[in-house]
Amino acid sequence: QVQLKESGPGLVQPSQTLSLTCTVSGLSLTSNSVSWIRQPPGKGLEWMGVIWSNGGTDYNSAIKSRLSISRDTSKSQVFLKMNSLQTEDTAMYFCANTPGDFDYWGQGVMVTVSS
Amino acid sequence: DIVMTQTPSSQAVSAGEKVTMSCKSSQSLLYSENKKNYLAWYQQKPGQSPKLLISWASTRESGVPDRFIGSGSGTDFTLTISSVQAEDLAVYYCEQYYDTPPTFGGGTKLELK
């Protein structure tokens, strides 16, 4: 049974760095790719970036300068780090298995950027 | 980036009604070598993560009721619900995975009439 679960702080101060973890079970990170996708309250979905099964990464050009995605295959975890957070980064953050489309999603973690 | 445009943005429906919603892409999603359209549909209910309904424009995921029908090719795609049920009230998103970055449409919200 494939499961993804996001974890991280619910509140981040403006200009600070966001760190999130996606813990994966039921699939291997060396054979599967994982994306981060976010959704501001009441709005649509925005793909942020992906870590491919070979460890390479691709990022959304709009946030590329602030974003880093990495992984620890031994722990089946994928990490997101995004710096210089602003209020417009307030959103639900999801991780999702990425065979092309997004077939398995985590439940999401709500991140609020506020002082 | 490929722009995905969904219409309508919201639709009021009654149970048992047939519903269609549109998704248009700014460039073709049909890959000539394998004749596949790189287009997916997702359903998102309030407070939940999106659920993959259809991939390759028309292939239902396992367990998805056959009232959900995906069609179209190239730049024009349609999701049809043949007979809407109460549990289908949700926001539906299309997404292209033909090119990086993958991009989503703005969504179609199905509401009760």
Side-chain angles (χ1 to χ4, degrees), chain A residues 93-114:
Chain A
Y93 286 75
F94 299 99
C95 58
N97 184 48
T98 311
D101 49 28
F102 306 110
D103 58 356
Y104 294 100
W105 295 64
Q107 64 193 18
V109 59
M110 183 66 202
V111 175
T112 300
V113 182
S114 175

Side-chain angles (χ1 to χ4, degrees), chain B residues 31-82:
Chain B
Y31 187 44
S32 57
E33 294 201 9
N34 60 11
K35 302 289 190 286
K36 286 190 171 187
N37 286 282
Y38 286 61
L39 187 283
W41 289 96
Y42 301 85
Q43 175 192 65
Q44 187 177 31
K45 297 181 180 180
Q48 296 185 17
S49 53
K51 173 188 175 183
L52 177 64
L53 295 178
I54 289 171
S55 56
W56 307 115
S58 61
T59 302
R60 269 189 303 275
E61 292 296 294
S62 174
V64 173
D66 59 9
R67 63 180 180 271
F68 291 92
I69 303 161
S71 61
S73 184
T75 60
D76 292 333
F77 301 91
T78 300
L79 177 66
T80 300
I81 309 175
S82 59

Side-chain angles (χ1 to χ4, degrees), chain A residues 17-28:
Chain A
T17 297
L18 172 66
S19 295
L20 297 177
T21 299
C22 175
T23 301
V24 178
S25 59
L27 54 83
S28 167

Side-chain angles (χ1 to χ4, degrees), chain A residues 43-57:
Chain A
K43 296 190 177 181
L45 298 159
E46 178 188 33
W47 177 81
M48 301 178 71
V50 62
I51 186 161
W52 301 108
S53 57
N54 65 5
T57 53

